Amino acid sequence: MSARFSFVCLTIICLMVAPSRSWGQNRNTIEKRKLTRARRAARSLSLLAANGGGRFLKDDLAEQSTPPLREWVTQNQAALVASGPSPFHSPMRWGVSTTQGGKLYFHVTNWPINNKLIFPRLQNSVVSVRMLDPSATGTKSSGSASDKQAGLKLIPNVKTWEIELPKLRPTNGFPVLIEVT
C-alpha cells in the first residue's frame, strides 16, 4: 500500500469523524465548516477511488456520511464504490477518473476555463457521454427521462478527445461526475 493511498484514507477518516461544533461560534460558521468538510471529503473520495481504493469503499458509505456529503455520495455511488483505478497514467488538470463495468467516470474537481475536458484518445468506441447529476451545474430540465439523460458533446481529435461541458460552472463545490460508456 503506498504512502499516498494511506494519507488519502487517513484524510477521509478525519474529515468524516471530526467534530463540527466548538464554543463561541454562531450557527452560520458551523454550517459553513460542515459544508467545507463535506466538499473536501468528496474530493478525497474521488482521489481515493482514482488511485485504486474504490474496492475498499462499502455500499453503506452514504449512510455513514454527514448530510451534505450523503447526498453527493448517493448520487455518484456508481463511480465510487467498488470502482477501478484510472486508466490514464498521469492526472489531468481538471480532476481524476475511475472505471467500473466498462464505463469511465470523470471526477471534475477543477472546472476548465474553456469548458472542455481534454483527455488522451481511447481505443474503445464511445456510445454516450452524460453528467451523472445535471443539476450540479444548474442545468434546468423539464423532468422527463430524456432531459435528465441529456448527453454532452464528444469531439474526437487525432491524439485526444474533448468533452464540451455546460457553460454554467458548478456552484456547490462538489466534484461533478461525467459517465462515458
Side-chain angles (χ1 to χ4, degrees):
M1 195 175 316
S2 70
R4 182 177 179 186
F5 179 75
S6 300
F7 175 74
V8 171
C9 289
L10 182 60
T11 303
I12 290 171
I13 291 169
C14 291
L15 290 172
M16 294 175 88
V17 175
S20 62
R21 295 185 186 226
S22 61
W23 292 68
Q25 295 179 350
N26 65 23
R27 185 174 288 290
N28 290 338
T29 303
I30 292 169
E31 294 303 318
K32 279 184 183 178
R33 285 189 178 167
K34 283 182 183 177
L35 189 58
T36 301
R37 189 173 291 125
R39 289 175 183 152
R40 282 191 206 142
R43 287 175 181 247
S44 295
L45 284 170
S46 291
L47 185 61
L48 175 70
N51 286 316
R55 64 180 179 263
F56 297 114
L57 299 175
K58 304 292 183 198
D59 289 333
D60 61 347
L61 179 65
E63 296 169 12
Q64 298 173 359
S65 305
T66 59
L69 183 60
R70 184 178 302 134
E71 183 179 334
W72 182 83
V73 169
T74 302
Q75 185 72 32
N76 302 303
Q77 195 161 5
L80 296 169
V81 176
S83 62
S86 173
F88 306 112
H89 298 291
S90 60
M92 309 297 170
R93 290 183 178 179
W94 42 260
V96 294
S97 61
T98 58
T99 57
Q100 184 175 19
K103 295 180 181 179
L104 179 64
Y105 295 96
F106 293 127
H107 304 245
V108 183
T109 54
N110 301 317
W111 201 261
I113 295 172
N114 61 357
N115 295 328
K116 291 183 181 180
L117 289 185
I118 300 172
F119 58 97
R121 189 175 179 104
L122 302 169
Q123 295 183 6
N124 308 12
S125 60
V126 174
V127 177
S128 69
V129 179
R130 69 178 186 95
M131 293 179 70
L132 289 185
D133 183 12
S135 64
T137 58
T139 306
K140 303 287 184 192
S141 66
S142 62
S144 69
S146 61
D147 282 347
K148 290 183 180 176
Q149 300 294 327
L152 300 172
K153 185 176 180 183
L154 178 74
I155 303 168
N157 295 322
V158 176
K159 292 187 178 183
T160 62
W161 281 355
E162 296 178 7
I163 297 175
E164 285 189 8
L165 299 173
K167 298 214 184 307
L168 294 174
R169 296 171 185 263
T171 56
N172 63 5
F174 286 93
V176 175
L177 273 79
I178 297 173
E179 177 184 79
V180 178
T181 53

